[in-house]
Amino acid sequence: DTEVTQTPKHLVMGMTNKKSLKCEQHMGHRAMYWYKQKAKKPPELMFVYSYEKLSINESVPSRFSPECPNSSLLNLHLHALQPEDSALYLCASSQVRGLAGAKETQYFGPGTRLLVL
Amino acid sequence: GIQVEQSPPDLILQEGANSTLRCNFSDSVNNLQWFHQNPWGQLINLFYIPSGTKQNGRLSATTVATERYSLLYISSSQTTDSGVYFCAVEGGSGNTGKLIFGQGTTLQVKP
């Protein structure tokens, strides 16, 4: 099973709201990722978790707060977002190989379409 | 950082035609993946191919790492092949998981 699930599929929120995006995988992968994709653009990496620890933060504003409560779950907490944060948010996971921690094939979830009003 | 260029940006085919999509990258890579993004936004993993050749049904891919390019071949195209095809690479040590995506090739297959 190479499935990554994401909830919700769609989310509309105001600039003062707090919401969370959820991602789950049961493939035993130990690396998980958040990407942001604007319309007609490629995905851009936001965060990488490796063995439940944050290993990469691509200078993402603090209004985006990731959390990895266990090896199967990844959350993205949203607070005080701006309209320009409206995008498709994609979660991915991959296996981690060897002592050096090389990341293997990334599998993506279906995404959450976020609209900030 | 590593640069990824895909060509052509747009491609229109009649059903049944063959096509070749190209991905050039500016530095050595440890990971190269081809994805198909369908109209609903789902990124489907096609190939993990940092080097060599792989085939899966009507699709095949070749990466020539020493010359820094990869090709995706689609044979006997079908309307369901429509969408955006992305090449994504990870350079450097290969331990970060940081994939850099090209701008994509938008494919439209007409019946």
Side-chain angles (χ1 to χ4, degrees):
Chain A
D1 183 10
T2 56
E3 188 178 14
V4 177
T5 59
Q6 290 187 242
T7 55
K9 287 186 169 54
H10 302 273
L11 180 62
V12 180
M13 61 186 290
M15 289 189 285
T16 58
N17 292 157
K18 286 186 181 180
K19 297 286 185 184
S20 296
L21 309 184
K22 180 180 173 181
C23 173
E24 193 165 4
Q25 57 89 14
H26 294 288
M27 296 177 277
H29 291 171
R30 300 307 298 274
M32 296 187 76
Y33 312 78
W34 280 114
Y35 288 82
K36 175 181 177 179
Q37 186 177 22
K38 301 283 280 184
K40 299 192 183 301
K41 295 290 187 182
E44 293 182 340
L45 183 68
M46 299 174 73
F47 303 103
V48 179
Y49 273 83
S50 185
Y51 294 101
E52 296 88 70
K53 293 191 188 310
L54 184 65
S55 58
I56 293 180
N57 176 342
E58 288 289 292
S59 302
V60 179
S62 60
R63 57 186 183 268
F64 295 91
S65 176
E67 178 196 21
C68 190
N70 60 55
S71 60
S72 300
L73 280 175
L74 184 66
N75 298 319
L76 186 62
H77 303 298
L78 314 173
H79 173 54
L81 293 193
Q82 303 298 308
E84 59 264 29
D85 297 321
S86 299
L88 178 66
Y89 288 84
L90 294 162
C91 173
S93 70
S94 72
Q95 192 50 275
V96 180
R97 174 173 46 89
L99 293 175
K103 310 299 187 289
E104 298 192 333
T105 308
Q106 291 189 27
Y107 295 92
F108 282 76
T112 294
R113 290 197 181 275
L114 174 66
L115 178 61
V116 182
L117 300 176
Chain B
I2 194 166
Q3 305 295 314
V4 184
E5 292 183 359
Q6 291 186 241
S7 60
D10 300 282
L11 187 58
I12 300 174
L13 299 175
Q14 285 300 129
E15 203 168 23
N18 302 328
S19 62
T20 301
L21 281 58
R22 187 177 180 100
C23 172
N24 292 333
F25 41 94
S26 61
D27 205 344
S28 59
V29 298
N30 293 282
N31 179 359
L32 188 149
Q33 290 187 242
W34 281 99
F35 296 94
H36 174 214
Q37 189 165 41
N38 65 24
W40 297 272
Q42 172 79 60
L43 267 174
I44 300 162
N45 182 45
L46 298 177
F47 294 103
Y48 171 86
I49 187 164
S51 64
T53 297
K54 291 186 177 180
Q55 180 160 5
N56 184 2
R58 296 182 295 104
L59 302 182
S60 63
T62 294
T63 298
V64 183
T66 53
E67 298 188 20
R68 299 182 182 168
Y69 73 88
S70 183
L71 302 174
L72 177 69
Y73 305 97
I74 304 174
S75 65
S76 304
S77 57
Q78 301 175 357
T79 56
T80 52
D81 295 331
S82 297
V84 183
Y85 288 80
F86 287 107
C87 166
V89 306
E90 178 185 5
S93 65
N95 297 337
T96 66
K98 181 176 177 178
L99 281 182
I100 304 298
F101 282 74
Q103 292 298 309
T105 292
T106 300
L107 173 64
Q108 182 182 358
V109 180
K110 294 187 172 181

